[in-house]
């Protein structure tokens, strides 16, 4: 293979000075000008319905000159602040404990998203044909590596400084026990790296980054600050400064296929499915983490959602792409309905399954409950009533042996898992627009909770084969599952997960065992 | 329901023994192909191993890889399937199958069967990906054309599912 001019320039420079101590700016300039990918013919290993055009423009040559310098300044500022200023202030232990628990989930799960974004933007590098477009994706690969480290560092920092490190210190193995994990893998892993390469770009850049990083990475910093957390804004805002270029990459993906007849046929379908995929998980999970995982509230999630997702993204951002034939996804309307109740529905189930977590969850207190009712009229009569009953039955107290997941079963509230999104749902308790659909196909039963997901499965069933936690654990006793999944603290007795954020009355594995809670798969009973 | 641990369980152990007993490329290939037809993809004939099949499949692939590396020349590793066919012949046989196919259900059957039979290490990765991404692209074109034309009812019927429950869903 012929050496590219860039590689030759680098080789020549090295042969003159075997161990360069500095680089001549002229050399850097020359190197960047000749930066190119010398493929006689692009040969990608990833499938796609689209043809990316050859002449797409991108600004990488300009930013590349500043790139390393810019990123190193950002890193120095961030790590300097964390390791010096904030450590001296004891900032790692000053946030409300509820929020300290939220960050066990938020930072660790985002780390997975960043990790898969490395692979996704590398895949797009492989799929694109225009050299400049490849460069844009390549810069993103570098960014996403940085972000993966940053997210990992947040959990590491908390593990050292926060008063309850369990969960921050070993989330990578304990996160897989509970039901939140599989849904996160669907949006942050499969959604970014499986299927059509362009569909992946839509999932990652057009929806994940252009739509959900605003609530996920920006709004979260407001909630963090309000709850006394200086760590998260320091890191997450540094991450967010890179996202603009990633959104621009998504824009360029669309531009590169705009003249391809395939775009007319497939693009809006892929966008609708990608939007539904991402929102089905993020709408309830982010709302739950913010509102139930905090003491001091910033604003109701439904308001944030309407501003960032509905108006800003669905209206303005997608509007800018209208000239390329992109339409606002029809599933946006259904998502808007879910943004009101879905996170409350999810909290009920997450709290009911608290022993499977790698973090502590807590019930809203009376002040929180007033806030919920004031912002979501009707909340108290439904969710408030159930949560008060659980509290009265002793759900926080290990002596009671009361596990709300058993209460659900005893009261006939069946919990299913949506095969496509892996988000659990309880038809008899849901106030969001859940619609139960259960099918048998080739000897296997599948449950779904909405029409968009059902259609995705009916069209491409091999993409959605993940077992639910009930299929995985069916017949097993809860404490056995927790022990196998490493859900215990270093004393090998106390659970990492707790149903409150107090320092006393901690549940041990024996408390769980006494409750004799056995997993049953609701589908096998049908 | 599999009332046993995820990572170490009697079912996995039993299959590990069968896999360890595979002594040559021919037997290991036949074993792996047969396993994939029975226990993988939505076309599988049994869901009995639903929570273990990926582990078992990975271990069978590992075994075949080792046997193959010991038996094949460097050149053959890049150009031969473990079935004895040349990789080029496999490509020639399979790529045209979806070229003019109009039915998405026939198309998906072809693509899944290709994966059941030829996923690496049966085919070398370089050739497998070439065929797989071609078949995958064609299948996606079939599936994604006129995506919303059929009602869910019609789609359920075409897919052949038995509807067990439609709560408040229309
Ligand atoms: Fe990122
Ligand atoms: Fe990004």
């Amino acid at each position: 293979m012929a050496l590219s001019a860039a590689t030759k320039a680098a080789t020549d420079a090295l042969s003159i000075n075997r161990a360069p101590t500095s680089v001549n700016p002229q050399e850097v300039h020359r190197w960047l000008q000749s930066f190119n990918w010398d493929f006689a013919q692009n040969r990608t290993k990833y499938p796609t319905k689209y043809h990316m055009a050859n002449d797409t423009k991108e600004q990488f040559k300009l930013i590349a000159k500043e790139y390393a310098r810019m990123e190193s300044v950002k890193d120095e500022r961030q790590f300097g602040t964390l390791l010096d200023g904030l450590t001296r202030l004891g900032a790692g232990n000053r946030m409300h404990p509820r929020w300290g628990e939220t960050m066990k989930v938020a930072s660790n799960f985002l780390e997975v998203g960043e990790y898969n974004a490395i692979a996704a933007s590398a895949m797009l590098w492989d799929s694109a044909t225009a050299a400049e477009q490849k460069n844009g994706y390549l810069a993103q690969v570098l960014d996403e590596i940085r972000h993966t480290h940053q997210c990992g560092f947040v959990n590491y920092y908390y593990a050292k400084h926060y008063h309850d490190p369990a969960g921050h210190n070993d989330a990578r193995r304990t996160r897989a026990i509970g039901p939140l994990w599989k849904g996160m893998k669907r949006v942050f892993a499969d959604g970014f790296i499986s299927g059509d390469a362009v569909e992946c770009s839509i999932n990652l850049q057009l929806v994940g980054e252009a739509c959900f990083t605003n609530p996920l990475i920006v709004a979260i910093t407001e909630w963090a600050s309000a709850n006394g957390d200086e760590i998260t804004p320091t890191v997450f805002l540094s991450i967010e400064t890179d996202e603009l270029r990633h959104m621009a990459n998504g824009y360029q993906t669309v531009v590169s296929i705009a003249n391809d007849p395939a775009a007319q046929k497939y693009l809006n379908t892929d966008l609708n499915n990608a939007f539904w995929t991402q929102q089905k998980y993020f709408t309830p999970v982010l709302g739950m983490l913010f509102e139930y995982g905090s003491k001091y509230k910033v604003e109701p999630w439904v308001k944030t959602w309407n501003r960032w997702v509905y108006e800003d993204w669905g209206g303005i951002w997608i509007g800018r792409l209208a000239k390329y034939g992109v339409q606002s996804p029809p599933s946006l309307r259904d998502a808007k309905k879910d943004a009101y109740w879905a996170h409350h529905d999810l909290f009920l189930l997450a709290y009911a399954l608290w022993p499977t977590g790698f973090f502590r969850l807590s019930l809203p207190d009376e002040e929180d409950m007033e806030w919920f009712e004031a912002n979501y009229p009707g909340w108290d009569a439904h969710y408030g009533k159930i949560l008060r009953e659980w509290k009265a039955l002793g759900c926080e107290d290990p002596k009671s042996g009361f596990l709300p997941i058993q209460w659900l079963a005893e009261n006939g509230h069946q919990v299913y898992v949506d095969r496509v999104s892996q988000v659990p749902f309880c038809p008899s308790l849901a106030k969001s627009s859940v619609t139960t659909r259960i099918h048998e196909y080739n000897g296997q039963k599948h449950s779904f909770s909405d029409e968009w997901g059902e259609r995705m499965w009916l069209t491409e069933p091999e993409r959605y084969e993940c077992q639910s936690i009930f299929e995985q654990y069916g017949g097993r006793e809860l404490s056995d599952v927790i022990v196998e999944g490493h859900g215990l603290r270093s004393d090998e007795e106390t659970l990492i997960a707790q149903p409150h954020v107090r320092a006393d009355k901690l549940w041990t594995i024996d408390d769980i065992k006494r409750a004799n809670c056995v997993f049953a798969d609701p589908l096998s009973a049908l | 329901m599999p009332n046993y641990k995820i990572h170490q369980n009697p079912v996995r152990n039993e299959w590990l023994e069968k896999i360890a007993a595979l002594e040559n490329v021919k037997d290991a290939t036949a074993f792996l192909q047969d396993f994939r037809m029975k226990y993988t993809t939505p076309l599988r004939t049994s869901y009995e191993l639903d929570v273990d099949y990926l582990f078992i499949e990975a271990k069978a692939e590992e075994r075949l890889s080792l046997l193959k590396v010991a038996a094949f020349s460097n050149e053959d590793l890049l150009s031969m399937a473990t079935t004895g066919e040349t990789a080029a012949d496999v490509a020639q046989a399979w790529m045209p199958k979806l070229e003019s196919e109009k039915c998405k259900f026939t198309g998906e059957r072809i693509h899944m069967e290709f994966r059941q039979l030829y996923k690496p290490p049966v085919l070398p990765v370089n050739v497998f990906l070439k065929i797989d991404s071609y078949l995958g692209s064609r299948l996606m074109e079939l599936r994604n054309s006129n995506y919303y034309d059929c009602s869910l009812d019609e789609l359920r019927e075409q897919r052949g599912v038995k509807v067990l429950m439609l709560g408040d869903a229309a």
Side-chain angles (χ1 to χ4, degrees):
Chain A
M1 192 195 299
L3 277 184
S4 77
T7 310
K8 189 172 178 319
T11 314
D12 290 349
L14 274 172
S15 67
I16 294 165
N17 184 353
R18 302 297 303 169
T21 50
S22 69
V23 185
N24 178 339
Q26 287 306 316
E27 259 169 49
V28 175
H29 181 74
R30 202 153 48 90
W31 188 77
L32 281 169
Q33 285 309 313
S34 67
F35 200 67
N36 211 330
W37 305 100
D38 300 332
F39 295 125
Q41 169 193 357
N42 196 64
R43 175 205 56 89
T44 176
K45 51 183 176 287
Y46 301 104
T48 180
K49 311 179 285 292
Y50 305 90
H51 298 282
M52 293 191 191
N54 248 322
D55 53 355
T56 317
K57 294 284 179 259
E58 176 280 334
Q59 305 302 316
F60 183 75
K61 280 186 195 174
L62 285 179
I63 63 157
K65 294 182 190 176
E66 303 295 330
Y67 183 82
R69 236 170 308 178
M70 171 180 74
E71 297 298 317
S72 77
V73 167
K74 287 200 280 192
D75 275 356
E76 275 166 25
R77 203 179 291 162
Q78 174 203 279
F79 288 110
T81 309
L82 287 167
L83 293 172
D84 185 359
L86 291 174
T87 299
R88 288 186 210 213
L89 292 170
N93 208 13
R94 286 191 172 192
M95 76 282 304
H96 192 279
R98 259 194 206 152
W99 187 259
E101 301 304 310
T102 288
M103 289 313 298
K104 288 179 183 171
V105 187
S107 202
N108 182 265
F109 279 14
L110 185 61
E111 178 193 288
V112 178
E114 302 292 0
Y115 186 74
N116 283 281
I118 302 172
S121 33
M123 171 166 94
L124 285 162
W125 173 89
D126 192 87
S127 305
T129 53
E132 294 205 10
Q133 194 177 2
K134 278 184 185 290
N135 289 344
Y137 296 143
L138 179 66
Q140 183 169 352
V141 173
L142 302 177
D143 283 342
E144 306 298 6
I145 294 168
R146 177 175 173 262
H147 300 170
T148 305
H149 288 301
Q150 286 172 289
C151 289
F153 192 82
V154 168
N155 288 118
Y156 168 75
Y157 190 86
Y158 274 122
K160 284 174 98 167
H161 298 284
Y162 178 60
H163 70 274
D164 191 68
H168 277 303
N169 62 352
D170 58 0
R172 286 185 195 142
R173 67 175 182 182
T174 51
R175 64 194 178 189
I177 307 172
L180 289 179
W181 167 251
K182 288 164 185 272
M184 190 280 292
K185 291 281 280 183
R186 171 76 205 115
V187 287
F188 264 167
D190 305 358
F192 291 176
I193 59 170
S194 75
D196 190 304
V198 171
E199 184 197 348
C200 290
S201 165
I202 296 172
N203 259 288
L204 167 67
Q205 293 158 337
L206 210 59
V207 182
E209 288 170 328
C211 181
F212 281 101
T213 58
N214 281 322
L216 181 60
I217 304 182
V218 181
I220 201 173
T221 62
E222 297 178 51
W223 285 84
S225 297
N227 286 276
D229 173 9
E230 294 294 327
I231 313 304
T232 301
T234 302
V235 178
F236 279 37
L237 290 174
S238 177
I239 292 177
E240 187 66 13
T241 55
D242 293 330
E243 291 304 324
L244 192 63
R245 279 180 288 112
H246 305 177
M247 297 175 202
N249 276 344
Y251 195 87
Q252 290 301 343
T253 306
V254 173
V255 172
S256 78
I257 57 168
N259 293 322
D260 178 12
Q264 304 309 312
K265 281 196 262 180
Y266 312 124
L267 184 57
N268 285 311
T269 301
D270 279 345
L271 176 63
N272 192 54
N273 284 343
F275 174 73
W276 189 257
T277 297
Q278 298 294 322
Q279 87 79 28
K280 177 84 180 176
Y281 184 79
F282 283 129
T283 298
V285 169
L286 291 177
M288 175 180 87
L289 290 176
F290 292 168
E291 292 186 353
Y292 291 87
S294 67
K295 177 61 202 164
Y296 306 101
K297 319 294 185 205
V298 174
E299 67 174 0
W301 167 236
V302 62
K303 248 178 140 174
T304 316
W305 197 96
N306 277 335
R307 189 173 59 246
W308 290 118
V309 179
Y310 197 74
E311 290 166 14
D312 203 67
W313 183 81
I316 299 168
W317 184 247
I318 293 300
R320 285 181 60 185
L321 288 165
K323 57 176 177 282
Y324 303 113
V326 175
Q327 294 156 6
S328 190
S331 63
L332 190 60
R333 284 189 301 274
D334 290 352
K336 195 170 189 298
K337 284 183 238 155
D338 277 358
Y340 203 84
W341 293 121
H343 61 296
H344 304 294
D345 288 341
L346 187 68
F347 178 73
L348 271 190
L349 303 184
Y351 193 84
L353 282 158
W354 72 261
T356 64
F358 57 102
F359 45 85
R360 301 177 295 165
L361 276 179
S362 56
L363 290 175
D365 59 24
E366 286 304 320
E367 195 187 15
D368 299 317
M369 290 199 177
E370 263 174 48
W371 185 87
F372 280 121
E373 179 60 23
N375 289 290
Y376 300 92
W379 183 91
D380 202 80
H382 183 64
Y383 306 98
K385 184 168 168 278
I386 296 170
L387 296 175
R388 281 195 186 88
E389 185 173 343
W390 289 356
K391 192 178 165 82
L393 289 165
C395 66
E396 293 171 316
D397 184 357
K399 285 206 198 77
S400 74
F402 173 79
L403 292 175
I405 187 67
Q406 292 179 305
W407 181 94
L408 288 177
E410 283 156 17
N411 287 277
H413 298 300
Q414 202 61 264
V415 179
Y416 300 96
V417 175
D418 174 36
R419 177 74 73 201
V420 172
S421 66
Q422 285 290 325
V423 174
F425 64 103
C426 176
S428 56
L429 287 178
K431 273 172 88 78
S432 61
S433 51
V434 154
T435 48
T436 315
R437 303 125 198 273
I438 300 175
H439 304 328
E440 187 172 335
Y441 176 58
N442 193 26
Q444 175 77 327
K445 290 164 186 163
H446 305 272
S447 45
F448 310 94
S449 57
D450 64 77
E451 68 166 276
W452 304 106
E454 186 191 346
R455 183 176 291 270
M456 284 158 73
W457 180 85
L458 285 166
T459 310
E460 304 182 292
E462 79 276 16
R463 294 184 71 173
Y464 311 104
E465 297 212 278
C466 184
Q467 304 89 7
S468 75
I469 58 163
F470 300 116
E471 288 165 331
Q472 200 169 7
Y473 302 146
R476 291 181 67 188
E477 189 268 316
L478 178 57
S479 74
D480 179 50
V481 168
I482 294 170
V483 171
E484 192 195 8
H486 304 281
L488 298 181
R489 291 165 187 246
S490 50
D491 65 3
E492 293 183 6
E493 279 175 16
T494 312
L495 263 66
I496 294 173
Q498 295 292 331
H500 56 72
V501 290
R502 306 156 51 123
D504 61 340
K505 297 201 174 166
L506 297 179
W507 287 64
T508 66
I509 198 68
D510 291 331
D511 298 321
I512 299 291
K513 203 178 277 174
R514 264 200 310 279
N516 190 29
C517 177
V518 177
F519 280 98
D521 178 15
L523 296 183
S524 68
L526 288 172
Chain B
M1 286 188 293
N3 185 11
Y4 50 61
K5 291 200 190 320
I6 296 174
H7 301 290
Q8 289 231 324
N9 66 50
V11 172
R12 290 186 183 191
N13 291 342
E14 185 193 321
W15 282 90
L16 284 176
E17 274 173 37
K18 290 185 203 174
I19 290 166
L22 296 167
E23 298 280 347
N24 60 58
V25 169
K26 188 166 172 267
D27 292 350
T29 302
F31 176 93
L32 182 58
Q33 287 182 324
D34 180 61
F35 182 85
R36 285 174 176 161
M37 296 304 268
K38 282 188 180 132
Y39 301 111
T40 74
T41 85
L43 298 181
R44 71 187 86 176
T45 53
S46 166
Y47 272 88
E48 205 180 305
L49 298 177
D50 192 26
V51 298
D52 295 305
Y53 78 93
L54 287 170
F55 174 88
I56 300 166
E57 185 189 8
K59 290 295 167 188
E61 288 169 353
E62 198 178 296
R63 181 79 187 148
L64 175 56
S65 299
L66 291 172
L67 292 167
K68 173 180 167 174
V69 164
F72 279 27
S73 69
N74 281 350
E75 204 174 286
D76 285 354
L77 281 174
L78 289 174
S79 61
M80 291 296 292
T82 61
T83 51
E85 301 157 283
T86 69
D89 282 349
V90 176
Q92 245 173 26
W94 282 83
M95 286 175 64
K97 289 193 189 201
L98 260 170
E99 223 155 75
S100 53
E101 185 54 57
K102 294 274 187 300
C103 169
K104 60 185 175 186
F105 294 102
T106 312
E108 79 177 24
R109 187 164 281 275
I110 292 169
H111 192 204
M112 285 184 204
E113 273 173 16
F114 170 70
R115 288 178 169 185
Q116 286 172 318
L117 292 173
Y118 288 108
K119 245 194 319 175
V122 179
L123 266 185
V125 175
N126 53 336
V127 183
F128 174 81
L129 285 173
K130 193 176 92 179
I131 307 172
D132 191 67
S133 76
Y134 175 78
L135 296 179
S137 298
R138 283 288 299 122
L139 177 60
M140 290 191 294
E141 285 165 15
L142 288 175
R143 283 171 161 181
N144 286 270
S145 298
N146 310 316
Y147 189 85
Y148 297 107
D149 277 10
C150 292
S151 70
L152 282 176
D153 259 342
E154 289 166 322
L155 267 184
R156 289 171 193 145
E157 208 183 303
Q158 288 171 11
R159 170 64 58 197
V161 301
K162 186 169 149 202
V163 178
L164 298 179
M165 191 196 288
L166 277 186
D168 33 1

